[in-house]
Amino acid sequence: MNIGVLKEAQAGETRVAATPATVAQLLKLGYEVVVEPGAGAAASFSDEAYAEAGATVGDPLAADIVFGVNTPTAAQLDGLKEGATLISLLSPMLKPEIVEDLAKRPITALSMDAVPRISRAQSLDVLSSMANIAGYRAVVEAAHVFGRFFTGQVTAAGKVPPATVLVAGVGVAGLAAIGAAGSLGAIVYATDPRPEVADQVASLGGEYLSVESDEVEVSATGYAKEMSDDYNTRAAALYAEKVPDVDILITTALIPGRPAPRLITAEMVASMKPGSVIVDMAAINGGNVEGSVAGEAVVTDNGVTIIGYTDLAGRLPAQASQLYGTNLVNLMKLMTPEKDGQLVLDFEDVVQRAMTVVRQGELTWPPPKVEVSAAPAAAPAAAPAPAAEPPAPMTDEKRLTIVGVAALVFFLIVSQAPNALINQLFVFSLAIVVGYYVIGHVHHALHTPLMSVTNAISGIIVVGGLLQIGQGDDAITIVSALAILLASINIFGGFAVTRRMLAMFTRS
């Protein structure tokens, strides 16, 4: 089978569905590739580069499988042969008229923006790929308009304060924006209805601003969901408080299949400082910011620039095309199990089923719901473990018996020991008693620092070893050397542990 790569007909589109690098990967799967003349010109991929990669430059509409970025025009759809498979961004949730049109044609259509957000399908997730690029580009566009440093500097001419950036929505685009703004030296804040993203924000050097609400957002689709009125009211209060102090605001909130939620009102925009910049990444779906215009940058009366560009990913066409083409290659790997150039559409696979809009002229949209929530299922309540019976307390008779036996053994040793050893045994016995009552009655939480210090007292062993070593007896010399070595390790180890523990309570 052969794959055709369309030249995008949508005005201003710079991306292409395959690059010379992805063409080589498609050839390894057994497919032939036909690229429309000039398809990659806007992304700096020449027809010669495709030819060198092994593709043929010609008519892609005659191919068995047709790749595109956007929904093809009516003329392009009319040119598809019967039984062809179309794979592109069809937006079936937002464009029901396209779904109806496709259902009238004897073709199969798969939408790349309908990939379910499950772990196995991450390599096919075009929305994440494009959002990553768009989030990065949003910061670049804001920096271009902002006209000042992002990072703070101290110069001979005075101090330059760092820019303050607020990112609303910590999805893939939001995280990319946080990383890009932080790498430029800005102070970055971020907010999101999902409290679990706080760690992700912190890992990129940002500060998470939580909305104090009893509602915790857990989505069963992998995307954000519409929040309650109570949450929206609290979020609006947070934005109203924070927005006047930020230099750059980037909004990324989108709900699949619905208009973008309105986060920033005109009053909030009016409260911002002149020269501030807003990048509304949801402008294509109505916008998160009141006053944003899809595809344009507008300046408000108080000097705030609102950027509503809808082609942020396309402003990095070579990178966007490479990532999109790689997503398509990963899909073809999934649908070409034998790597023999034969496409196999498996409806038992939830990923392929979810992406299929039309199958041989038969409408298959919408697909069955795919539960992708990462929230763990509630485990069945385990039966309570039987309470362990407490150990029986030692009886007085048993305790007295043990003490008596120990005393008898001690007196037998003393009766046979020389006078010099008796004094040492007496001191040793006292040390055991004192150590038991001192150490044994200390709380467990204090054992480590206490033992690290008391172990250091064993330095007296080093002194004793030094006095005994070199007495002319090899056995005494060996034992003394071992005692010095082990006691030294104990001393240095004890102080090292103590120092590390004390450092835990020291403010940096």
Side-chain angles (χ1 to χ4, degrees):
M1 300 179 74
N2 55 356
I3 297 174
V5 181
L6 292 174
K7 179 180 179 180
E8 297 302 313
Q10 179 174 306
E13 182 58 74
T14 58
R15 294 170 293 178
V16 63
T19 67
T22 62
V23 164
Q25 294 177 284
L26 294 171
L27 295 176
K28 292 180 180 179
L29 293 175
Y31 294 101
E32 297 178 359
V33 182
V34 181
V35 180
E36 188 171 355
S44 301
F45 300 121
S46 64
D47 293 343
E48 291 76 13
Y50 285 108
E52 291 176 2
T56 302
V57 179
D59 181 13
L61 296 177
D64 303 303
I65 305 165
V66 177
F67 284 176
V69 177
N70 302 291
T71 304
T73 63
Q76 290 174 321
L77 291 174
D78 292 338
L80 295 176
K81 72 177 186 179
E82 183 176 347
T85 299
L86 171 66
I87 305 176
S88 68
L89 296 169
L90 301 174
S91 302
M93 289 185 290
L94 300 175
K95 301 177 181 178
E97 68 280 2
I98 297 296
V99 176
E100 294 177 6
D101 185 21
L102 293 173
K104 299 175 183 178
R105 303 175 183 274
I107 63 173
T108 297
L110 281 76
S111 182
M112 289 300 292
D113 52 353
V115 175
R117 284 199 165 177
I118 59 179
S119 299
R120 188 166 59 86
Q122 286 183 351
S123 62
L124 318 177
D125 193 351
V126 171
L127 294 181
S128 293
S129 299
M130 298 300 103
N132 183 30
I133 297 175
Y136 172 85
R137 184 68 188 195
V139 175
V140 174
E141 295 291 341
H144 174 69
V145 176
F146 185 53
R148 283 177 275 171
F149 285 138
F150 265 49
T151 184
Q153 292 190 4
V154 178
T155 69
K159 291 183 179 180
V160 178
T164 303
V165 178
L166 173 60
V167 179
V170 189
V172 176
L175 289 172
I178 293 169
S183 65
L184 290 174
I187 299 173
V188 185
Y189 300 98
T191 183
D192 192 277
R194 298 163 295 181
E196 63 270 18
V197 304
D199 291 338
Q200 301 175 29
V201 173
S203 69
L204 293 172
E207 180 180 342
Y208 177 72
L209 303 178
S210 62
V211 176
E212 299 299 331
S213 174
D214 294 333
E215 182 180 6
V216 177
E217 201 274 335
V218 178
S219 173
T221 63
Y223 296 89
K225 70 177 183 181
E226 192 168 5
M227 305 303 292
S228 68
D229 292 339
D230 174 71
Y231 178 89
N232 292 333
T233 300
R234 295 172 183 267
L238 174 65
Y239 291 130
E241 176 186 356
K242 200 68 181 176
V243 162
D245 298 326
V246 302
D247 299 306
I248 294 171
L249 172 62
I250 299 175
T251 63
T252 70
L254 278 173
I255 301 173
R258 297 188 183 184
R262 183 58 50 85
L263 304 180
I264 308 300
T265 64
E267 291 77 11
M268 297 179 191
V269 176
S271 69
M272 298 182 72
K273 296 170 290 188
S276 301
V277 182
I278 300 175
V279 182
D280 188 352
M281 297 184 63
I284 192 173
N285 283 5
N288 299 139
V289 182
E290 186 175 356
S292 66
V293 179
E296 298 181 17
V298 298
V299 181
T300 65
D301 294 336
N302 62 317
V304 177
T305 302
I306 306 177
I307 298 175
Y309 297 153
T310 59
D311 61 343
L312 289 172
R315 290 172 180 256
L316 295 172
Q319 186 68 70
S321 299
Q322 181 60 44
L323 292 183
Y324 181 70
T326 301
N327 292 140
L328 287 171
V329 169
N330 291 331
L331 175 63
M332 298 310 294
K333 289 179 179 178
L334 178 65
M335 300 178 67
T336 316
E338 302 298 328
K339 298 183 179 180
D340 55 356
Q342 298 299 315
L343 186 71
V344 178
L345 180 58
D346 181 11
F347 260 35
E348 297 299 321
D349 183 356
V350 296
V351 176
Q352 300 179 46
R353 175 65 186 89
M355 298 175 61
T356 305
V357 179
V358 175
R359 183 183 188 185
Q360 297 299 327
E362 178 186 355
L363 181 64
T364 59
W365 186 265
K369 187 177 181 180
V370 180
E371 294 290 343
V372 299
S373 175
E389 296 184 1
M394 185 181 296
T395 62
D396 293 339
E397 292 80 4
K398 186 176 182 180
R399 184 181 295 106
L400 291 175
T401 301
I402 294 175
V403 172
V405 171
L408 178 60
V409 172
F410 178 76
F411 285 120
L412 288 175
I413 295 174
V414 170
S415 64
Q416 301 298 323
N419 293 332
L421 182 61
I422 293 176
N423 292 333
Q424 297 181 14
L425 289 174
F426 181 73
V427 173
F428 178 70
S429 302
L430 291 178
I432 292 177
V433 174
V434 173
Y436 174 78
Y437 282 102
V438 172
I439 305 300
H441 290 77
V442 174
H443 192 275
H444 296 292
L446 298 177
H447 274 184
T448 301
L450 178 65
M451 292 303 295
S452 66
V453 175
T454 55
N455 285 342
I457 300 175
S458 63
I460 196 172
I461 298 176
V462 176
V463 177
L466 292 173
L467 294 175
Q468 295 296 329
I469 200 169
Q471 296 293 328
D473 191 321
D474 292 339
I476 295 177
T477 301
I478 293 173
V479 172
S480 300
L482 289 175
I484 294 171
L485 175 62
L486 296 178
S488 299
I489 294 174
N490 200 26
I491 292 171
F492 293 116
F495 282 116
V497 171
T498 302
R499 182 176 181 182
R500 291 186 62 180
M501 293 199 65
L502 292 176
M504 294 171 60
F505 303 97
T506 303
R507 293 185 177 181
S508 57

